[in-house]
Amino acid sequence: MLNKMNAKLVLGVLLFGSFILISLIGPLIAPYEVDYNKKIGYIQTADSQQLVSSPFPPSQEFILGTDKWGYDILTLMLHGAKYTVLGTLLIAIARVFLGGIAGILMGLYKKERTLRKATISVWSGIPTFVIIYFIMVGININSSIPIWGLVLIQSVLMIFLGVSSIYNVIFSKTAELKKELYVVASKTLGASNSHLMVKHILPALKGNVMIILINESILVLHLIGQLGIFNLFFGGTAQQFFPTIYLSVTHEWSGLIGQARGFMYHSQWIILFPLLAYIMFLISLYLISSGISDIQFKKVRKASLL
């Protein structure tokens, strides 16, 4: 029965929906306040109790353990979920909306003889994260700008640098759809461009737009992760000295992963759980994208057999 319901899509939506829910209610269900930390405590040994310092491994008191500074990892992840999940989704939606609208309008209103002209962006050969890195490196670390301001600046950069690729895809598909017989016939009978867009272009692009949206979410998540490797965390980086360490201000998941890179060989739970959540969120997006692609493929195959 699950196969008939498109198992990948169902599992992806359920998983993605759970991440959305966690991002909305995360701070409400967090076991501790975000600034609560426990630097020392006792553990029970075979003979007696022993005084130890953080990080503490997973236990009944701290389900996912604590980091080096005694902060509860589960609490940090629940507070950072909204920046990871909702931030990624909103940036992807803005990219697709702006690039999609521009692509459809230009594809409809541009004259036929100009449709074949390539619209390759001058930025397409430069990795997006490199551009954002050099813009944000002097702003993001120990910044006086509030969190919402840094989130807004980084989001605008990611949206602006991602719109052109969406525009090119939608523009090309709109130009192809304009050549379809039913669109040409409708236009010959006097249909306006707005009528063509509502009745023919948007319905035909609906499935493609959903795939593009999910794929853009994956790209944005990758981009946030790449910036995190270079200590530019989404929403701000706090740099401390002696020793030099970089901490995520918002506790978004790629930031928690980036700041815990030094714990690959000991106290692995500090990096393991944020990494697991990040991968599961990524898998949910891949499942949805693959599920929608399967539906689109079946529709095309069915149409070709008719």
Side-chain angles (χ1 to χ4, degrees):
M1 183 177 177
L2 203 56
N3 287 329
K4 293 180 180 178
M5 294 171 60
N6 193 326
K8 286 187 282 189
L9 182 59
V10 172
L11 291 175
V13 169
L14 289 176
L15 197 54
F16 182 74
S18 65
F19 281 115
I20 292 288
L21 181 63
I22 288 171
S23 67
L24 292 174
I25 65 171
L28 299 177
I29 60 175
Y32 300 98
E33 294 295 326
V34 70
D35 56 353
Y36 172 81
N37 66 88
K38 183 178 181 180
K39 296 186 183 301
I40 58 172
Y42 290 91
I43 61 170
Q44 185 67 45
T45 63
D47 302 323
S48 62
Q49 287 189 327
Q50 182 180 355
L51 183 65
V52 294
S53 61
S54 58
F56 297 105
S59 63
Q60 287 186 344
E61 184 177 8
F62 302 107
I63 297 174
L64 302 185
T66 75
D67 62 12
K68 181 181 178 181
W69 302 275
Y71 291 98
D72 179 47
I73 292 174
L74 177 59
T75 298
L76 297 181
M77 289 175 60
L78 289 172
H79 278 270
K82 59 179 177 291
Y83 296 100
T84 310
V85 178
L86 296 183
T88 297
L89 190 60
L90 291 176
I91 292 170
I93 289 173
R95 278 182 167 196
V96 174
F97 178 78
L98 295 175
I101 291 295
I104 291 173
L105 291 178
M106 292 302 290
L108 276 173
Y109 287 95
K110 219 170 186 180
K111 293 181 179 178
E112 293 289 340
R113 64 176 180 274
T114 61
L115 287 178
R116 292 183 181 178
K117 291 184 177 179
T119 53
I120 299 174
S121 168
V122 68
W123 305 106
S124 60
I126 306 174
T128 304
F129 88 92
V130 172
I131 300 172
I132 297 177
Y133 175 82
F134 283 107
I135 294 175
M136 294 300 300
V137 70
I139 303 173
N140 204 57
I141 299 175
N142 287 340
S143 178
S144 58
I145 301 173
I147 290 175
W148 65 266
L150 290 172
V151 168
L152 183 62
I153 292 172
Q154 286 175 287
S155 299
V156 168
L157 284 172
M158 287 188 230
I159 292 167
F160 175 74
L161 294 172
V163 161
S164 62
S165 61
I166 307 297
Y167 166 81
N168 285 333
V169 171
I170 299 297
F171 175 80
S172 299
K173 289 188 176 296
T174 303
E176 289 175 11
L177 287 170
K178 276 182 71 177
K179 298 174 184 175
E180 294 290 336
L181 289 178
Y182 64 92
V183 178
V184 174
S186 182
K187 192 173 183 180
T188 304
L189 292 173
S192 63
N193 281 329
S194 59
H195 177 84
L196 294 178
M197 180 172 70
V198 174
K199 294 295 182 181
H200 299 301
I201 304 299
L202 287 178
L205 289 176
K206 187 170 61 178
N208 292 313
V209 169
M210 283 302 298
I211 294 174
I212 292 172
L213 175 60
I214 299 301
N215 289 342
E216 282 301 306
S217 299
I218 294 170
L219 289 176
V220 171
L221 194 61
H222 283 169
L223 183 56
I224 293 174
Q226 288 170 340
L227 290 168
I229 292 173
F230 293 93
N231 300 316
L232 286 181
F233 305 132
F234 189 55
T237 302
Q239 184 183 18
Q240 296 182 3
F241 302 94
F242 311 114
T244 301
I245 55 173
Y246 298 91
L247 302 172
S248 170
V249 174
T250 59
H251 314 299
E252 51 89 13
W253 296 344
S254 63
L256 294 178
I257 296 168
Q259 71 183 38
R261 291 198 303 271
F263 295 94
M264 291 287 288
Y265 301 104
H266 64 89
S267 309
Q268 288 90 350
W269 65 85
I270 298 176
I271 189 171
L272 176 65
F273 292 112
L275 182 61
L276 187 62
Y278 181 90
I279 291 174
M280 290 301 292
F281 181 46
L282 202 55
I283 288 175
S284 73
L285 295 172
Y286 275 115
L287 287 172
I288 294 174
S289 176
S290 180
I292 297 174
S293 296
D294 287 347
I295 292 174
Q296 289 293 100
F297 176 75
K298 287 178 181 177
K299 283 184 178 177
V300 172
R301 187 179 178 186
K302 187 178 179 181
S304 65
L305 293 174
L306 292 176

